[in-house]
Amino acid sequence: MKDLKIALIGNMNNNFFVLARYLRDEGFNCGVFALPYEPAHFSANSDSNSEEDIQLVQVLPWGNAQDLFSLSPNTINAQFEEYNFFIACGTAPAFLTKAGIAVDLFIPYGSDLYLLPFAIPKNPLKWLSNLHFRKFQKRGIKGAAAVSIADNATVFQNALNKIGFKGLVLKSGVPMVYAPHKIKHEVFSKEDEVPKKRIKILHPSRHAWKTEKDPVSLKDNNKLFEGVALFITNHPSIEVIVYTMEYGSDINASKELIAELGIERNVKWFPTMARKDLMSLYHEVDIVVGELRNSWFTYGVIYEAMVAAKPVIHYRKDDLYTDLKLYPMYSASSAQQVCDRLSEYAENPQNGNRIGYEARSWYFEECVQKVIVDIEGLLKRKLQG
């Protein structure tokens, strides 16, 4: 089974670079093919300093949706002639399908499932190439042996139904952060039993709450800052600092809100940074705040916090995930709830730390190990014909 060579095509969020390293650790032979439209901060260099790791990844000279129309199937086949098992995200299903290559596992990052197969460009000059792309993207997803999503979000289920996907649906998703499997479970110190006098919060999510047009992309960052302002009013003796990133369409809107709330001195802004640098920031804070608008089971910020063993505040509607094992966290979807969760953490930081460490164990058991088992199962099925 491990003689098969695995191609992971696409690397949005560095998802497949992370997955490739976990597969390599298990003895699999694999390579990652990044797509040219993926942001620079999702490059392999942004996630690792190891040359051995970085050599797993190469960037394809094609991969934009408009490239498909003029690209020959022979060019695509020549790129992947050494490979015999294909894991895809982004635009990859369309390119593989045009070359007559079946997708063995589609692991969408989001818009590649609910938007790309259906979106019509505003520019009429792109209509023909886009029609060509959408046809092959739908065909590639529909014909995939399996799709893996770690979320029961209606937007994903509706897209699969609309495409007519009838294959195997897995729930392992993709591990988004690479870290050693064996990490000692730290013993809580006596300091953890004392109510907090200072709370450092990390909010690395993209700022998208005021001008963002896509409802799926809304983060409701405003609720964090409004909740922090409430908390400061209710707990004037506790020092609060929020670390956040200059990332997203609503950076200025967030800065204006912060000024209106009078909490400018409580917020420190950082430029968008590579994950290998961002992870060091996770280890400096007490608690992490993710998205407060849509209920998502997991996403990059959640996994990063888990690996760092930090408790997370975000919105999760648990009745959507009755078939999944839940990880511990603080749930909030309003400014008042953010304030309340911060109060809970401040009064009992030891419980917050327990949440962080238990969530880290969940990550390795329920995400990393499960996706490896799922891929092994698909490899066996392929070998058996």
Side-chain angles (χ1 to χ4, degrees), residues 253-274:
S254 290
K255 288 183 176 181
E256 289 170 7
L257 175 63
I258 289 164
E260 289 171 12
L261 294 168
I263 57 170
E264 288 169 293
R265 71 179 188 85
N266 303 96
V267 181
K268 181 174 177 58
W269 290 87
F270 289 86
T272 302
M273 61 179 70

Side-chain angles (χ1 to χ4, degrees), residues 135-371:
K135 178 181 76 173
F136 281 102
Q137 183 77 352
K138 289 175 184 175
R139 191 181 296 174
I141 296 171
K142 183 177 180 178
V147 170
S148 184
I149 50 175
D151 206 302
N152 289 338
T154 303
V155 68
F156 294 151
Q157 299 296 337
N158 287 347
L160 289 175
N161 292 337
K162 194 172 180 180
I163 288 169
F165 178 75
K166 302 295 184 185
L168 183 63
V169 177
L170 305 171
K171 291 299 178 71
S172 49
V174 61
M176 293 181 171
V177 186
Y178 180 76
H181 284 58
K182 296 178 181 178
I183 304 177
K184 290 175 67 177
H185 193 98
E186 296 181 20
V187 177
F188 301 139
S189 70
K190 287 291 183 183
E191 291 181 5
D192 295 329
E193 299 175 9
V194 180
K196 300 289 284 188
K197 292 299 180 184
R198 184 184 189 190
I199 299 177
K200 292 183 180 179
I201 302 165
L202 177 60
H203 180 56
S205 298
R206 178 164 52 90
H207 288 260
W209 60 274
K210 193 169 186 179
T211 64
E212 174 61 56
K213 298 293 190 292
D214 178 11
V216 176
S217 297
L218 289 168
K219 317 293 183 188
D220 280 13
N221 318 76
N222 56 304
K223 294 174 182 174
L224 165 63
F225 301 117
E226 291 161 358
V228 165
L230 280 172
F231 179 83
I232 291 170
T233 298
N234 295 341
H235 304 273
S237 63
I238 299 178
E239 183 183 354
V240 179
I241 183 75
V242 179
Y243 298 146
T244 192
M245 308 294 132
E246 292 189 323
Y247 177 38
S249 59
D250 286 326
I251 297 167
N252 290 335
S254 290
K255 288 183 176 181
E256 289 170 7
L257 175 63
I258 289 164
E260 289 171 12
L261 294 168
I263 57 170
E264 288 169 293
R265 71 179 188 85
N266 303 96
V267 181
K268 181 174 177 58
W269 290 87
F270 289 86
T272 302
M273 61 179 70
R275 178 178 279 153
K276 63 185 179 183
D277 301 318
L278 179 60
M279 289 308 297
S280 65
L281 198 55
Y282 273 90
H283 293 289
E284 293 294 321
V285 303
D286 301 298
I287 195 164
V288 176
V289 178
E291 300 185 22
L292 302 168
R293 168 71 173 232
N294 298 305
S295 175
W296 301 112
F297 190 66
T298 56
Y299 46 93
V301 171
I302 300 302
Y303 285 150
E304 289 165 354
M306 286 177 172
V307 167
K310 300 299 179 179
V312 179
I313 298 173
H314 79 117
Y315 180 45
R316 187 183 72 193
K317 196 170 184 294
D318 289 351
D319 59 6
L320 294 176
Y321 314 111
T322 55
D323 56 339
L324 298 172
K325 181 179 178 181
L326 301 179
Y327 53 86
M329 47 82 74
Y330 295 103
S331 185
S333 60
S334 69
Q336 184 61 58
Q337 289 175 345
V338 169
C339 175
D340 293 343
R341 300 297 88 77
L342 289 173
S343 297
E344 289 173 25
Y345 175 76
E347 292 165 10
N348 191 352
Q350 188 175 48
N351 185 56
N353 292 341
R354 176 193 61 77
I355 287 172
Y357 285 110
E358 288 184 4
R360 184 168 66 179
S361 296
W362 180 97
Y363 175 72
F364 289 111
E365 293 166 8
E366 297 297 318
C367 184
V368 177
Q369 289 303 317
K370 280 194 173 181
V371 75

Side-chain angles (χ1 to χ4, degrees), residues 29-71:
N29 189 359
C30 53
V32 180
F33 298 86
L35 298 166
Y37 61 82
E38 292 164 342
H41 63 276
F42 293 141
S43 68
N45 289 297
S46 297
D47 210 50
S48 175
N49 291 316
S50 165
E51 282 301 317
E52 181 184 3
D53 289 352
I54 292 168
Q55 288 173 5
L56 285 169
V57 183
Q58 59 180 290
V59 181
L60 291 171
W62 40 261
N64 291 301
Q66 288 72 34
D67 296 336
L68 187 68
F69 188 74
S70 58
L71 195 68

Side-chain angles (χ1 to χ4, degrees), residues 125-140:
L125 297 177
K126 294 182 179 180
W127 283 356
L128 184 58
S129 62
N130 179 262
L131 177 66
H132 187 75
F133 168 77
R134 284 186 287 127
K135 178 181 76 173
F136 281 102
Q137 183 77 352
K138 289 175 184 175
R139 191 181 296 174

